[in-house]
Amino acid sequence: MLLTRISSLFSRARDEDRGAGMAAVIGLMAVSLITTSLVASSVIAATEYTTLTRAGVQSQAAAEAGIAVARAGLLAGTCGANGNRYASAPNAQPEYVATVWIPSGTGWARGCPTGTATQVRILSTGYAANDGVGTASGRDASHVEVVLSAAGVPSTIEASGPAIYAYNSQGFGGGGKLVTVPGTNASIMIKEGNVLCNGGASGEADIVVNNGNLEVGAGCSITGNAYASGRVTLPGGPNIGKNVVANALTITGGSQVGGSVWVNQDVTLNGGVGIAGNVTAASMSFSSGGTVGGNVQTTGAVTFNGGGGPLIKGNLTAASFTTGNGGEVLKNAYIYGATSVNWGAVIRGNLTTKTFSKPGGSNSDFVKGTLTTVPGGPVQPGPYATNATRPAWPIVPDWINFAYTPADWTGFAVATISSSGTCSYTQVKNAVESFAGQNGIVDALGCVGGIAIAGSDIVTLNSDVAIFSPGYKFDGGGGFTASQIRRLWLLTPDSTVESPATPTCTTGENSFSVLGGFTFSSNLRVMMYTPCKVVLTSSTKFTGHVFSGKAGIDGGAQLTYAAVGLPGYNLDTGTRTTVTTTEADRTIVSFRNVEAGN
């Protein structure tokens, strides 16, 4: 009985051990299966990650290749021909599509830049040569955006230009007056045509007639220098305060030149006229008097005609010298050819000449110093040919075609007004007030009849303001004012492009007029530009300058010169100051990957 129980216990123990071993084996098999699954998953994940990475590198490189191709197209100027799209050839590697964008409102629009003044965007999508396996397709395509800077250099406004520039001549007269601010050098410049200054006009400035004659009529007073490519004529009464530089000069009946004279041809004096300085010319003649305060130096003849006591206070150098009755040279004379004197004529110093003739008497009656004759003619140019060289001709700018281009006005806001007739004071005032202290442009080119301000309407400026309009009619008691120094541009643009540039007036010659006491406060610096004619009359006064096709200042008008200038130009020379840029001058503003592509 006992043995039977013991045997049963051992049998049960063996069975229990066998069950425990089976559980261990099953557990080990489960762990193995889990490990195998993990290894398999890891291998698959690693393979997907590797192909994903490979696809990302390839697509990124392809997208950047598209950027490079589009940039090269912009540099080569092929954007338009390619429809602002650059794509790789079919089945080519790398594979990309790149498009070009330009600013549009607050966003971007497909298109090609027309210049370098705005930014450019290039959007490129690149495709992987080998896609990722399985679900790893997120990098099969990459999208890259590059924004390129604007390359246009902001225009500067250089305070330059003459007091009055007129491409075509127009009489400067009728009581107008030009005055200068101390330290400035004002000029009145006429590019083409003859000029008559008369009617009580006066100017504390140089006058330059680039291609024509200058007649300084009765009542006109020029206190500076006078330049003319043709003849300068002083017909009796008016004076020139400083020098005359011209092709020829005629002075009659009491007029005076306060400086020296340089002319290519003749100087003709008639009556009690005077030149305070030296004379350098081809020839010179005196009739019925006349005085030169310095030396006379000519390459041709000098003649004293008639009486009246012609007088040269300095030395005389000439090819020949002939006198009538009377006349004096207070110092020495050096004559390359013949000298012929008459009764009453006297050379107070020495005379050197090729030949000498007189009506009678002794040589000392006519030459108070030493008389020397040189049969072959004295050596030229002689010891008294010491006059200063002819002054350089002033630079008279060519006409500037100045169009309405808001980009020229860096930092200026724009307000637009329009009318089928003339735009009113209220429209102008509201536009100016909308700038709220910021510099601004009033675009009034849609005002068919221009801008009209009259009555007691006053526009107050709290910033610099440029107005573009087809014309201006300012009259009555209207005006512009400011509480501190501000700049005001009154502009009628000239958009016609020709070479050489000439003013093209399409709105009527008299479309720019300031009449009847219209006022500009002394704090304003005003620049008037028009291809037409600027007319200032009826006691109009302002500080600034004028650049116009024609100009007339009369009727008591007064212009006090102060340069204002135009953006992008030096008005002293007529040259551009804005640096010319090319597509190559752009720089990268941003370079980034984006979520969406073309």
Side-chain angles (χ1 to χ4, degrees):
M1 190 67 162
L2 177 61
L3 291 174
T4 302
R5 188 179 294 117
I6 292 172
S7 176
S8 176
L9 289 172
F10 275 112
S11 297
R12 188 182 302 121
R14 284 196 300 268
D15 292 340
E16 289 177 355
D17 287 343
R18 188 180 296 114
M22 182 62 69
V25 170
I26 292 171
L28 181 60
M29 290 180 64
V31 170
S32 297
L33 289 172
I34 291 171
T35 301
T36 301
S37 177
L38 289 173
V39 169
S41 297
S42 178
V43 169
I44 293 171
T47 301
E48 289 182 343
Y49 181 78
T50 299
T51 59
L52 178 69
T53 301
R54 179 186 63 193
V57 171
Q58 290 176 349
S59 63
Q60 181 74 19
E64 293 181 9
I67 294 289
V69 170
R71 182 73 179 109
L74 287 171
L75 291 168
T78 61
C79 179
N82 282 274
N84 53 69
R85 181 178 185 274
Y86 295 86
S88 56
N91 301 317
Q93 296 297 333
E95 183 182 358
Y96 57 81
V97 175
T99 53
V100 179
W101 302 67
I102 57 176
S104 175
T106 59
W108 297 94
R110 282 274 299 271
C112 298
T114 57
T116 60
T118 60
Q119 291 184 333
V120 174
R121 177 192 189 220
I122 301 174
L123 183 61
S124 178
T125 299
Y127 300 95
N130 304 103
D131 294 343
V133 299
T135 61
S137 60
R139 297 297 305 278
D140 292 349
S142 293
H143 312 294
V144 175
E145 177 198 69
V146 170
V147 176
L148 302 173
S149 71
V153 177
S155 297
T156 58
I157 302 176
E158 182 177 336
S160 60
I164 300 172
Y165 174 95
Y167 185 85
N168 294 303
S169 63
Q170 184 71 30
F172 172 67
K177 185 178 183 181
L178 171 65
V179 298
T180 58
V181 175
T184 62
N185 184 19
S187 296
I188 303 166
M189 293 187 170
I190 312 299
K191 184 71 173 178
E192 300 288 339
N194 301 323
V195 174
L196 171 62
C197 174
N198 61 8
S202 61
E204 297 179 18
D206 297 342
I207 185 166
V208 184
V209 182
N210 186 71
N211 189 20
N213 303 317
L214 169 63
E215 182 177 351
V216 185
C220 179
S221 176
I222 298 172
T223 60
N225 302 302
Y227 299 83
S229 66
R231 182 176 294 273
V232 173
T233 302
L234 297 166
N239 299 322
I240 293 175
K242 294 183 180 179
N243 303 318
V244 173
V245 180
N247 189 51
L249 171 65
T250 297
I251 310 178
T252 304
S255 292
Q256 305 288 319
V257 173
S260 294
V261 171
W262 290 264
V263 299
N264 299 325
Q265 297 183 7
D266 64 282
V267 172
T268 301
L269 306 183
N270 190 344
V273 302
I275 296 172
N278 300 323
V279 173
T280 305
S283 64
M284 185 170 186
S285 64
F286 295 76
S287 298
S288 302
T291 300
V292 175
N295 302 320
V296 173
Q297 180 180 322
T298 70
T299 56
V302 172
T303 305
F304 289 179
N305 296 313
L311 176 63
I312 298 174
K313 293 183 177 181
N315 298 306
L316 169 62
T317 302
S320 64
F321 179 39
T322 302
T323 76
N325 295 327
E328 291 186 68
V329 177
L330 294 188
K331 293 186 178 180
N332 306 297
Y334 194 89
I335 310 302
Y336 308 138
T339 300
S340 177
V341 297
N342 211 331
W343 295 112
V346 178
I347 299 170
R348 296 292 178 183
N350 302 321
L351 170 62
T352 302
T353 184
K354 181 177 181 179
T355 62
F356 178 73
S357 62
K358 61 185 188 307
S362 65
N363 291 342
S364 61
D365 292 334
F366 303 96
V367 181
K368 300 303 181 181
T370 301
L371 170 60
T372 302
T373 59
V374 181
V379 176
Q380 301 183 31
Y384 313 122
T386 58
N387 286 358
T389 57
R390 180 187 178 102
W393 191 259
I395 296 174
V396 180
D398 291 331
W399 177 253
I400 293 171
N401 289 322
F402 189 75
Y404 173 54
T405 307
D408 288 340
W409 302 82
T410 305
F412 281 65
V414 177
T416 302
I417 60 176
S418 63
S419 172
S420 58
T422 58
C423 282
S424 66
Y425 154 76
T426 301
Q427 288 176 284
V428 175
K429 179 179 72 72
N430 290 342
V432 169
E433 289 177 351
S434 73
F435 300 138
Q438 180 183 357
N439 295 340
I441 299 170
V442 178
D443 176 4
L445 295 176
C447 303
V448 176
I451 293 173
I453 300 176
S456 59
D457 294 332
I458 303 294
V459 179
T460 300
L461 304 186
N462 294 311
S463 61
D464 294 343
V465 173
I467 302 176
F468 285 84
S469 172
Y472 301 86
K473 186 177 181 181
F474 297 151
D475 203 346
F480 288 89
T481 189
S483 60
Q484 54 185 294
I485 293 178
R486 300 296 185 189
R487 294 176 294 181
L488 171 63
W489 290 266
L490 301 174
L491 309 164
T492 300
D494 186 351
S495 303
T496 304
V497 177
E498 68 278 283
S499 183
T502 57
T504 304
C505 178
T506 60
T507 57
E509 183 177 271
N510 295 316
S511 58
F512 199 126
S513 62
V514 185
L515 311 171
F518 191 89
T519 61
F520 299 87
S521 69
S522 60
N523 285 327
L524 289 175
R525 303 294 179 262
V526 184
M527 165 60 173
M528 298 182 182
Y529 169 94
T530 177
C532 303
K533 178 182 176 182
V534 170
V535 177
L536 305 176
T537 63
S538 301
S539 69
T540 300
K541 296 181 180 181
F542 77 96
T543 299
H545 58 144
V546 173
F547 201 98
S548 60
K550 296 181 180 180
I553 301 180
D554 53 27
Q558 177 175 305
L559 166 60
T560 301
Y561 170 63
V564 179
L566 291 173
Y569 286 94
N570 181 331
L571 296 184
D572 292 331
T573 61
T575 56
R576 288 198 66 92
T577 57
T578 302
V579 177
T580 301
T581 58
T582 66
E583 188 65 37
D585 295 312
R586 296 186 188 276
T587 59
I588 294 176
V589 174
S590 68
F591 190 116
R592 62 174 182 162
N593 282 80
V594 293
E595 292 297 323
N598 295 289

